[in-house]
C-alpha cells in the first residue's frame, strides 16, 4: 500500500446480525447468523420486519497500514441511525447518538497495525428504546418506515496533529469578498505555538481569484482555536442564482515546513438572500419561491440515499415543471443532494427533524446538540436558503426553547432566513410569539375556502414579512394498481402490503393504500382503474391551477411549497408519480408555476340589503347565455428583468365548434420585477347555446425583442349554459317547500312555481329541504321529489368531508349527470355546487347513484346525489350546494349559474319521468 494513503474507505460489503432478541455482544457467537449487507445502506433492505428497532450488529474486517503506527487514527462515520456502539478488536471505541450528521471515533489505541482488524458496531434505530417523538426521527416513520443502520459512508483515516474543521465561507457580496471562519483542533502543548493557514479561491475555470495566508497563534494547553480570515476577489464576482449557479472552490490548509498538514475543500456561491418588507430579494431582485415538499421517501433504498444520477434527474424534473426550490421536510438529505442543487441552481429549504416532539429537558439537550451538528455540516451550500426548526409545533415547544434554538441557528448560519415553527403557532396551537423572519402557513382546504383564509392571514395590519406556504395545495390522486403490479413483477411492493411488520404504515387508519385492491373490489364500481386515474389526474390539475393562480394575485405572498414531490405509502398527492415521473406535462404545469404567471380575477358585486351594502358572491366560472364574461387579466412577475413594451394577445373560443367569440390585443404592457398588477379587462358576450358549452380563453404575452423573457401563456376554461327553459305550465307543476332556505330566490327564476304548503292535483314535483310525511305519501302515489338534505336531522346520515381534497368525484351514467358538463372529472363547473357533506351509504335505501365521492385515501364511497324508487314515485336526494354559500361560493341559487342548470336538468328529468 502506498505510503501516501491517509484515508481508507470501509464502504461496501459488511456482515449483519439481525437478531432482535439478543442485545449483548457476548451472545453473538452463540446465537448469530450473519448476512451480507451493503454500507452505506439500511438493514430494512434485507430484513422484512421493519418495525423492530434493534439491535442490529454490523461487522467487517480491515487492514491498517503498518506505517500508520504511532499516528492518530479515526473512524469517520457520515451517519448512523440512530444510536450506536463501536468496538474495534473487542474494545469499545465510542458510543454515539444522533442519526442525521457525521461523527468521528478515535481508534489508534485499539488497532493492530500491519494486520487484520475487526470492526463491530451495534445499532438501534428510533423505536422502543429511543422513542420516535423524543429522538428527532422526523416524519419518515409516518411516511413509510424509519430506517436503521450505517446509512452514510465510513472511512478510516489518519488524523493530523492540527486539524482544520468547521470551515464556513460567508459571502460578502457588497465588499466583493468572502469571510472564512474555521476551527483548528490540536494536540495540547505546554508552550504557545503558531501555524500558518493559507486559503485560496478558484473560479469555475480553475483560475485562482483570491489567495491569502494568515498566522494563527495556539495558546498552551488548548485543544480548540477558532479564527477567521478575509479573502478579497481580484476580479468582479459572479453571483449564484437558479438561472446562473456559479460556484467557487475554496481550499483552506494548515501549512507545514514542506507540505500541508491538514486541509479542507468546499464549494460556495456568492449569493445574498435577504428580506425587504414583504418580499425575498435574491442578489437584490425580488424572487418568488416555487417549492415542492420532499419527505425523503425513496422506496428502493428506504433510507434517503438516492444515487447522484437519481438526484440529478429528480432536480431536472423539478426545474422543468417550473419549481425553483425543494423543501426537505423533517429530514436531512445526503451531501450529494446539496452539491447537485448547488450545481443545478435549485434553492433548498432545510427543515430540521422536529415533529410532534415530546419536549422534556433531555429532549431539549439532545435537540441543541444534534441541531448544531447538522447546521455546521451543511451550512456552506449556496442552494440552502431557508431554515425551519420544526413543523406544526404546539404549545409543548415553549418560548425559551424556541428562542434559544432560533438564536443558535442564526449565529451558526450567518444570520440566514429562519423560522422557528413551519405552519405557525397561530394555526397549530403553538406560540403566538414567534421567532421567525417570515410567515409560514400550511393551508390544506378546498378551493372555495382560500379567499377568506388569504384575506385574513394576509391582513394589512400584520408586520411586513414575506409569506410562504411551507406546505399546501395537495390533491390526492389515484394509484393505478394495474400499472404498479406491472412495474413490480406482478406483486405489490413492500410499502403497499397489508402487513404491519413488513409495512408499518399499514396499521394507520387515516390512509389505507395497502388495502386499495381489496376495498375497491368490494365497491364494484363501474369505472376501470384507468378511468379513475384519468379522473383524478385531470381534477388535480384543475384544483392546483385554480389555487396557485389565485395565490399569485396576492402581492403579500412570496412563495409556496406544494405537497409533495413524489407519491409514497401515505399519499398520492404528489406532482410526480411512484416512478418519479411528472403527472402533468411540464410545459402545462409551468403555466401556473413559473417566475411569471398570468392569471384572472373578477368583478366584485354588491347589493343593498337590510339598509346597507353587502358583498354578493357570484359564480365567475359559469355563465348564462347572453350575459357578459369580464375577466381581469393579472400578471405576477418575478423574472430576472422587467417586462417592458409587452404585447398581450387574447382569444376566446367555443370548444365545440372553434367559433371565435372575441379576440384582441393589449399593447405597451409594463410590469416590474416583484410586481402583481392588472393589465386589462376583457368583455365577451356569452353565446346563445342549447346545451352547456365550454369556452376557452387563451392569452399570450410577448416581450420586446430586447428582453430575455420567454412568452407567457395561459388558458382558462369557462362554461356557458342555456337560459332557464321551464315553461310557465311546467313551473306550475312544481311546489317548493324550503324551510332551510336552500332555494331562496328561486321564484325569480321560476315565477310560476308554487311556494305555499300543500300539494295540489297538478303537482308533479316537490322541491324541498325537509322530507316530510306528506312528501313520502306523495311519492307512494307516484309523485316526484327533489330533496336537498342540510341537517343531520334528515332521514339520511351525513358525514362532513372535503369535496376536492382526498377524494374523487364519480359521475355515473344517468340522464341528469349526462347533461351536466363534468367531462368525467371535477372541474370549476362544480365550483358553486361543491359541498362538505355526503350521505353515509349505510343509511341509504336501494338507489341508483348519480354522483358519488370516492375517498382517495380510504377507498370508501359516499353519496352526493342519488335516485331511489319510493312506491310508485321517485326520490332524488342530494347534498350538493344549490345555494352555494361555502367560502367564496355564490350566494343563493340566483347567483349560482352551474347549480341553476343542474336544478333545471333534474326537474326536467323528473317531469319527463
Amino acid at each position: 500500500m502506498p505510503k501516501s494513503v491517509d484515508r481508507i474507505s470501509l464502504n461496501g460489503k459488511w456482515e449483519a446480525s439481525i437478531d432482535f432478541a439478543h442485545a449483548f455482544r457476548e451472545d453473538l457467537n452463540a446465537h448469530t447468523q450473519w448476512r451480507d449487507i451493503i454500507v452505506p445502506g439500511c438493514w430494512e433492505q434485507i430484513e422484512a420486519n421493519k418495525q423492530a428497532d434493534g439491535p442490529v450488529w454490523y461487522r467487517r474486517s480491515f487492514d491498517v497500514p503498518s506505517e500508520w503506527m504511532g499516528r492518530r487514527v479515526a473512524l469517520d462515520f457520515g451517519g448512523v441511525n440512530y444510536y450506536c456502539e463501536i468496538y474495534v478488536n473487542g474494545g469499545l471505541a465510542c458510543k454515539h447518538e444522533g442519526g442525521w450528521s457525521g461523527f468521528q471515533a478515535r481508534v489508534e489505541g485499539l488497532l493492530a497495525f500491519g494486520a487484520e482488524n475487526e470492526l463491530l458496531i451495534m445499532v438501534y434505530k428510533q423505536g422502543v428504546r429511543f422513542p420516535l417523538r423524543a429522538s428527532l426521527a422526523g416524519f419518515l416513520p409516518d411516511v413509510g418506515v424509519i430506517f436503521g443502520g450505517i446509512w452514510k459512508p465510513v472511512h478510516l483515516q489518519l488524523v493530523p496533529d492540527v486539524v482544520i474543521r468547521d470551515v464556513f465561507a460567508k459571502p460578502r457580496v457588497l465588499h466583493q469578498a468572502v469571510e472564512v471562519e474555521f476551527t483548528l483542533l490540536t494536540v495540547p502543548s505546554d508552550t504557545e505555538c503558531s501555524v500558518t493557514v493559507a486559503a485560496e479561491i478558484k473560479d469555475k475555470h480553475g483560475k485562482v481569484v483570491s489567495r491569502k495566508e494568515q498566522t494563527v497563534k495556539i495558546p498552551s494547553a488548548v485543544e480548540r482555536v477558532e479564527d477567521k480570515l478575509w479573502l478579497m476577489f481580484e476580479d468582479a464576482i459572479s453571483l449564484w442564482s437558479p438561472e446562473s449557479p456559479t460556484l467557487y472552490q475554496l481550499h483552506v490548509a494548515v501549512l507545514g515546513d514542506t507540505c500541508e498538514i491538514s486541509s479542507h475543500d468546499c464549494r460556495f456561491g456568492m449569493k445574498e438572500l435577504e428580506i425587504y418588507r414583504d418580499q425575498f430579494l435574491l442578489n437584490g431582485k425580488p424572487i418568488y419561491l416555487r417549492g415542492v415538499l420532499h419527505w425523503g421517501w425513496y422506496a428502493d433504498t428506504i433510507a434517503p440515499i438516492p444515487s447522484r444520477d437519481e438526484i440529478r434527474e429528480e432536480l431536472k424534473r423539478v426545474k422543468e415543471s417550473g419549481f425553483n426550490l425543494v423543501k426537505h421536510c423533517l429530514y436531512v438529505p445526503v451531501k450529494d443532494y446539496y452539491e447537485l442543487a448547488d450545481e443545478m441552481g435549485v434553492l433548498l429549504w432545510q427543515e430540521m427533524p422536529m415533529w410532534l416532539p415530546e419536549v422534556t429537558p433531555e429532549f431539549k439537550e439532545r435537540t441543541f446538540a444534534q441541531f448544531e451538528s447538522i447546521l455546521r455540516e451543511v451550512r456552506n451550500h449556496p442552494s440552502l436558503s431557508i431554515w425551519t426548526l420544526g413543523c406544526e409545533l404546539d404549545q409543548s415547544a415553549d418560548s425559551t426553547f424556541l428562542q434559544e434554538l432560533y438564536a443558535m441557528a442564526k449565529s451558526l448560519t450567518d444570520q440566514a432566513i429562519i423560522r422557528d415553527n413551519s405552519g405557525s403557532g397561530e394555526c397549530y396551537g403553538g406560540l403566538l410569539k414567534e421567532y421567525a423572519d417570515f410567515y409560514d402557513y400550511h393551508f390544506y382546504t378546498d378551493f372555495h375556502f382560500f379567499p377568506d383564509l388569504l384575506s385574513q392571514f394576509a391582513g394589512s395590519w400584520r408586520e411586513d414579512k414575506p409569506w410562504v406556504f411551507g406546505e399546501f395545495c395537495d390533491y390526492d390522486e389515484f394509484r393505478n394498481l394495474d400499472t404498479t403490479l406491472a412495474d413490480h413483477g406482478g406483486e405489490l411492493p413492500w410499502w403497499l402490503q397489508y402487513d404491519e411488520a413488513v409495512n408499518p404504515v399499514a396499521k394507520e387508519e387515516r390512509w389505507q393504500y395497502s388495502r386499495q385492491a381489496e376495498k375497491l373490489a368490494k365497491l364494484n364500481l363501474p369505472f376501470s382503474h384507468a378511468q379513475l386515474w384519468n379522473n383524478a389526474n385531470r381534477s388535480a390539475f384543475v384544483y392546483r391551477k385554480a389555487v396557485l393562480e389565485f395565490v399569485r394575485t396576492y402581492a403579500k405572498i412570496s412563495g409556496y411549497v406544494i405537497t409533495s414531490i413524489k407519491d409514497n405509502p401515505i399519499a398520492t398527492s404528489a406532482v410526480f408519480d411512484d416512478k418519479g415521473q411528472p403527472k402533468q406535462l411540464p410545459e402545462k404545469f409551468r403555466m401556473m408555476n413559473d417566475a411569471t404567471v398570468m392569471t384572472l380575477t373578477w368583478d366584485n358585486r354588491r347589493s343593498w340589503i337590510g339598509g346597507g351594502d353587502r358583498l354578493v358572491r357570484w359564480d365567475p366560472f359559469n355563465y348564462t347565455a347572453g350575459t357578459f364574461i369580464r375577466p381581469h387579466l393579472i400578471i405576477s412577475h418575478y423574472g430576472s428583468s422587467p417586462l417592458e413594451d409587452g404585447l398581450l394577445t387574447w382569444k376566446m373560443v367555443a370548444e365545440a365548434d372553434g367559433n371565435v367569440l372575441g379576440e384582441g390585443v393589449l399593447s405597451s404592457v409594463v410590469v416590474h420585477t416583484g410586481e402583481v398588477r392588472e393589465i386589462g379587462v376583457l368583455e365577451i358576450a356569452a353565446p346563445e347555446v342549447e346545451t352547456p358549452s365550454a369556452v376557452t380563453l387563451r392569452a399570450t404575452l410577448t416581450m420586446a425583442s430586447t428582453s430575455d423573457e420567454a412568452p407567457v401563456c395561459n388558458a382558462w376554461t369557462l362554461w356557458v349554459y342555456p337560459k332557464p327553459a321551464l315553461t310557465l305550465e311546467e313551473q306550475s307543476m312544481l311546489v317548493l317547500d324550503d324551510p332551510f332556505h336552500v332555494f331562496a330566490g328561486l321564484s325569480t327564476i321560476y315565477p310560476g312555481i308554487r311556494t305555499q304548503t300543500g300539494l295540489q292535483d297538478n303537482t308533479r314535483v316537490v322541491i324541498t329541504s325537509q322530507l316530510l310525511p306528506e312528501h313520502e305519501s306523495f311519492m307512494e302515489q307516484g309523485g316526484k321529489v327533489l330533496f336537498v338534505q342540510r341537517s343531520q336531522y334528515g332521514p339520511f346520515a351525513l358525514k362532513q368531508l372535503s369535496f376536492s381534497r382526498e377524494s374523487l368525484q364519480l359521475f355515473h351514467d344517468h340522464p341528469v349527470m349526462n347533461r351536466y358538463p363534468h367531462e368525467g372529472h371535477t372541474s370549476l363547473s362544480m365550483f358553486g355546487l361543491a359541498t362538505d357533506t355526503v350521505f353515509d351509504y349505510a343509511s341509504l335505501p336501494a338507489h341508483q347513484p348519480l354522483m358519488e365521492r370516492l375517498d382517495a385515501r380510504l377507498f370508501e364511497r359516499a353519496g352526493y346525489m342519488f335516485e331511489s324508487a319510493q312506491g310508485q314515485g321517485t326520490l332524488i336526494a342530494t347534498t350538493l350546494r344549490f345555494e352555494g354559500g361555502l367560502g367564496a361560493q355564490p350566494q343563493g341559487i340566483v347567483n349560482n349559474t352551474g347549480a341553476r342548470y343542474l336544478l333545471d336538468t333534474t326537474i326536467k328529468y323528473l317531469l319527463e319521468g
Side-chain angles (χ1 to χ4, degrees):
M1 185 173 291
K3 291 184 179 181
S4 61
V5 171
D6 60 4
R7 184 174 171 87
I8 299 171
S9 172
L10 299 184
N11 299 328
K13 188 168 73 173
W14 289 50
E15 290 180 308
S17 167
I18 304 178
D19 182 356
F20 300 119
H22 296 92
F24 300 102
R25 187 162 53 94
E26 293 77 10
D27 294 339
L28 290 180
N29 292 332
H31 300 284
T32 299
Q33 291 184 341
W34 294 94
R35 290 189 264 172
D36 289 343
I37 192 169
I38 299 299
V39 171
C42 63
W43 73 62
E44 291 80 9
Q45 290 179 286
I46 65 170
E47 169 58 32
N49 183 354
K50 294 178 175 60
Q51 286 189 310
D53 62 341
V56 170
W57 292 88
Y58 285 74
R59 77 175 182 185
R60 68 158 292 164
S61 59
F62 61 96
D63 294 328
V64 182
S66 57
E67 57 268 25
W68 282 19
M69 185 177 294
R71 308 280 298 277
R72 298 195 299 166
V73 184
L75 283 165
D76 186 85
F77 292 87
V80 180
N81 198 48
Y82 167 72
Y83 169 85
C84 63
E85 295 178 6
I86 299 165
Y87 298 87
V88 176
N89 297 325
L92 178 63
C94 81
K95 301 178 182 180
H96 183 266
E97 181 180 349
W100 297 110
S101 54
F103 63 97
Q104 281 193 349
R106 290 281 298 279
V107 294
E108 65 269 12
L110 300 171
L111 294 174
F113 294 92
E116 187 176 80
N117 295 258
E118 183 187 63
L119 176 57
L120 187 66
I121 304 175
M122 181 186 72
V123 184
Y124 277 90
K125 67 177 181 180
Q126 296 94 333
V128 176
R129 183 174 175 185
F130 299 96
L132 292 171
R133 303 310 180 197
S135 52
L136 299 175
F139 193 59
L140 267 171
D142 300 82
V143 177
V145 61
I146 188 63
F147 59 93
I150 308 172
W151 70 290
K152 289 185 180 180
V154 184
H155 293 86
L156 184 73
Q157 63 184 48
L158 288 173
V159 179
D161 290 340
V162 181
V163 179
I164 190 162
R165 293 279 298 275
D166 293 333
V167 174
F168 186 19
K170 299 159 67 171
R172 298 293 179 253
V173 172
L174 183 64
H175 298 92
Q176 303 270 306
V178 177
E179 184 181 356
V180 180
E181 292 183 352
F182 58 90
T183 298
L184 299 181
L185 303 180
T186 71
V187 179
S189 171
D190 293 336
T191 60
E192 181 182 286
C193 64
S194 63
V195 296
T196 300
V197 175
E200 70 174 16
I201 299 172
K202 292 182 179 180
D203 65 13
K204 62 182 180 180
H205 304 295
K207 177 187 174 183
V208 176
V209 295
S210 184
R211 180 186 285 117
K212 186 174 184 179
E213 291 187 4
Q214 183 168 302
T215 299
V216 179
K217 291 184 179 180
I218 302 176
S220 61
V222 167
E223 295 181 352
R224 180 186 183 94
V225 175
E226 296 180 353
D227 207 341
K228 56 188 172 183
L229 53 80
W230 189 272
L231 287 165
M232 299 290 297
F233 281 81
E234 298 171 0
D235 302 313
I237 62 173
S238 296
L239 297 176
W240 187 97
S241 69
E243 296 76 26
S244 181
T246 302
L247 294 173
Y248 291 95
Q249 184 77 29
L250 172 65
H251 179 78
V252 187
V254 179
L255 302 183
D257 294 335
T258 59
C259 63
E260 295 179 351
I261 299 172
S262 174
S263 66
H264 180 89
D265 290 279
C266 67
R267 296 184 304 180
F268 70 95
M270 294 299 290
K271 179 197 76 173
E272 189 172 55
L273 183 65
E274 57 188 336
I275 289 173
Y276 176 71
R277 303 190 68 177
D278 56 8
Q279 289 190 327
F280 293 103
L281 301 182
L282 178 60
N283 302 327
K285 295 181 179 180
I287 182 171
Y288 201 95
L289 303 181
R290 306 179 307 281
V292 63
L293 193 72
H294 205 315
W295 285 324
W297 167 249
Y298 293 96
D300 293 337
T301 59
I302 303 176
I305 46 174
S307 69
R308 286 183 72 88
D309 286 344
E310 288 174 312
I311 298 169
R312 186 178 288 106
E313 187 62 27
E314 185 170 279
L315 291 176
K316 177 175 175 287
R317 290 170 180 161
V318 163
K319 294 196 75 170
E320 287 173 346
S321 292
F323 296 100
N324 61 7
L325 178 142
V326 173
K327 180 183 181 183
H328 293 293
C329 175
L330 296 165
Y331 87 105
V332 182
V334 291
K335 182 179 179 181
D336 286 341
Y337 211 110
Y338 287 104
E339 290 182 346
L340 287 167
D342 293 342
E343 293 175 12
M344 299 176 67
V346 178
L347 301 170
L348 297 182
W349 176 336
Q350 181 59 62
E351 182 163 272
M352 304 297 266
M354 184 161 57
W355 160 251
L356 299 179
E358 295 175 0
V359 180
T360 63
E362 294 76 18
F363 176 82
K364 292 180 180 181
E365 182 179 355
R366 181 179 296 122
T367 300
F368 279 108
Q370 294 184 27
F371 275 25
E372 179 176 355
S373 182
I374 295 167
L375 289 162
R376 289 184 182 276
E377 192 167 289
V378 304
R379 60 186 177 176
N380 261 317
H381 295 280
S383 56
L384 183 48
S385 301
I386 290 181
W387 301 77
T388 40
L389 305 180
C391 181
E392 299 174 358
L393 303 174
D394 63 18
Q395 70 278 2
S396 64
D398 61 83
S399 178
T400 300
F401 176 45
L402 292 183
Q403 182 182 23
E404 291 176 353
L405 269 184
Y406 175 82
M408 181 186 75
K410 278 285 189 179
S411 173
L412 291 174
T413 60
D414 192 28
Q415 304 301 308
I417 294 173
I418 297 173
R419 181 179 176 84
D420 56 349
N421 184 6
S422 184
S424 82
E426 185 174 7
C427 294
Y428 287 91
L431 303 178
L432 292 181
K433 168 59 178 174
E434 298 183 327
Y435 303 97
D437 302 329
F438 60 98
Y439 298 116
D440 173 358
Y441 302 110
H442 297 178
F443 290 165
Y444 292 111
T445 191
D446 286 332
F447 173 57
H448 44 277
F449 294 121
F450 269 97
D452 287 345
L453 285 167
L454 268 59
S455 295
Q456 290 300 310
F457 282 84
S460 59
W461 50 268
R462 292 181 182 266
E463 179 186 354
D464 264 349
K465 291 181 185 178
W467 172 358
V468 183
F469 286 104
E471 305 172 17
F472 99 131
C473 202
D474 69 332
Y475 195 101
D476 293 271
E477 298 190 38
F478 181 84
R479 179 178 279 117
N480 188 338
L481 288 185
D482 297 337
T483 303
T484 304
L485 289 168
D487 291 339
H488 293 86
E491 297 183 358
L492 288 177
W494 69 266
W495 45 271
L496 284 178
Q497 293 180 26
Y498 189 49
D499 182 336
E500 291 182 24
V502 173
N503 176 23
V505 298
K507 67 181 181 295
E508 177 58 64
E509 294 298 321
R510 291 177 296 168
W511 35 75
Q512 298 182 19
Y513 295 98
S514 57
R515 300 182 62 194
Q516 177 177 333
E518 165 202 344
K519 298 190 77 171
L520 282 178
K522 293 179 179 179
L523 298 182
N524 195 29
L525 295 172
F527 304 98
S528 68
H529 284 184
Q531 287 174 313
L532 293 173
W533 180 91
N534 185 66
N535 177 338
N537 181 255
R538 296 178 69 185
S539 301
F541 178 76
V542 169
Y543 173 81
R544 281 198 163 126
K545 188 173 189 293
V547 171
L548 294 183
E549 290 180 1
F550 181 71
V551 165
R552 291 296 290 264
T553 65
Y554 278 74
K556 292 185 74 67
I557 298 176
S558 298
Y560 50 74
V561 177
I562 293 177
T563 307
S564 60
I565 192 170
K566 185 179 178 183
D567 284 348
N568 55 69
I570 67 165
T572 52
S573 57
V575 296
F576 298 162
D577 63 19
D578 289 322
K579 295 185 290 186
Q581 297 296 322
K583 295 181 182 179
Q584 306 291 343
L585 292 173
E587 58 270 25
K588 189 177 176 183
F589 206 89
R590 284 199 306 271
M591 287 195 307
M592 57 188 179
N593 184 49
D594 215 337
T596 304
V597 167
M598 192 181 332
T599 182
L600 304 180
T601 59
W602 306 92
D603 297 340
N604 290 314
R605 298 183 181 179
R606 46 72 65 192
S607 185
W608 189 265
I609 300 173
D613 281 316
R614 297 189 192 179
L615 178 69
V616 174
R617 298 189 185 274
W618 57 286
D619 187 348
F621 309 108
N622 298 287
Y623 295 84
T624 301
T627 60
F628 281 96
I629 305 171
R630 285 176 48 88
H632 297 229
L633 283 168
I634 305 292
I635 297 289
S636 171
H637 176 57
Y638 288 82
S640 57
S641 57
L643 303 179
E644 297 178 340
D645 195 22
L647 184 71
L648 187 142
T649 58
W650 64 270
K651 181 182 293 187
M652 182 170 280
V653 178
E655 289 298 305
D657 55 14
N659 184 38
V660 176
L661 306 177
E663 58 185 328
V665 174
L666 299 174
S667 58
S668 302
V669 174
V670 177
V671 187
H672 299 291
T673 300
E675 188 176 20
V676 179
R677 64 180 297 259
E678 179 182 298
I679 59 172
V681 183
L682 315 181
E683 187 169 86
I684 308 103
E688 297 295 331
V689 295
E690 296 182 0
T691 59
S693 301
V695 298
T696 299
L697 171 63
R698 295 183 176 89
T700 301
L701 177 65
T702 55
M703 299 302 105
S705 58
T706 56
S707 172
D708 59 357
E709 299 289 343
V712 178
C713 303
N714 210 340
W716 305 269
T717 299
L718 309 171
W719 289 266
V720 179
Y721 299 83
K723 296 172 183 176
L726 291 181
T727 65
L728 284 175
E729 181 182 0
E730 289 172 322
Q731 294 173 31
S732 70
M733 302 175 186
L734 309 179
V735 167
L736 177 63
D737 190 354
D738 187 21
F740 288 98
H741 306 291
V742 170
F743 297 101
L746 185 61
S747 59
T748 63
I749 300 173
Y750 302 148
I753 195 170
R754 295 198 308 275
T755 58
Q756 72 271 20
T757 303
L759 306 177
Q760 299 184 7
D761 291 343
N762 72 332
T763 301
R764 296 276 304 280
V765 176
V766 173
I767 303 168
T768 185
S769 56
Q770 183 177 23
L771 199 59
L772 299 173
E774 57 257 41
H775 301 147
E776 295 175 355
S777 298
F778 174 64
M779 288 187 287
E780 288 292 331
Q781 299 170 21
K784 313 293 177 64
V785 172
L786 171 60
F787 167 52
V788 179
Q789 183 169 335
R790 284 286 168 265
S791 168
Q792 291 287 355
Y793 300 105
F796 309 118
L798 300 181
K799 295 180 179 179
Q800 189 166 26
L801 294 168
S802 61
F803 185 78
S804 295
R805 293 189 60 251
E806 305 176 3
S807 66
L808 288 72
Q809 281 66 52
L810 304 180
F811 302 92
H812 285 265
D813 182 12
H814 185 280
V816 171
M817 275 299 124
N818 292 346
R819 294 172 186 171
Y820 198 82
H822 54 74
E823 299 178 330
H825 73 284
T826 306
S827 67
L828 291 176
S829 68
M830 299 294 297
F831 174 72
L833 284 159
T835 180
D836 61 353
T837 54
V838 294
F839 293 120
D840 183 345
Y841 265 10
S843 70
L844 297 186
H847 66 275
Q848 177 184 1
L850 280 71
M851 182 177 170
E852 293 182 296
R853 181 187 194 272
L854 175 63
D855 196 294
R857 296 181 172 186
L858 301 178
F859 308 101
E860 298 171 354
R861 70 201 302 183
Y864 287 122
M865 195 173 195
F866 68 87
E867 177 180 338
S868 176
Q870 302 288 311
Q872 299 298 311
T874 302
L875 170 70
I876 290 183
T878 185
T879 63
L880 293 173
R881 303 283 302 190
F882 286 94
E883 76 277 32
L886 290 180
Q889 282 185 327
Q891 293 170 314
I893 188 70
V894 174
N895 297 301
N896 203 354
T897 306
R900 189 271 305 162
Y901 178 77
L902 181 61
L903 180 63
D904 284 353
T905 301
T906 306
I907 292 171
K908 281 182 176 293
Y909 169 75
L910 291 173
L911 288 172
E912 292 165 358

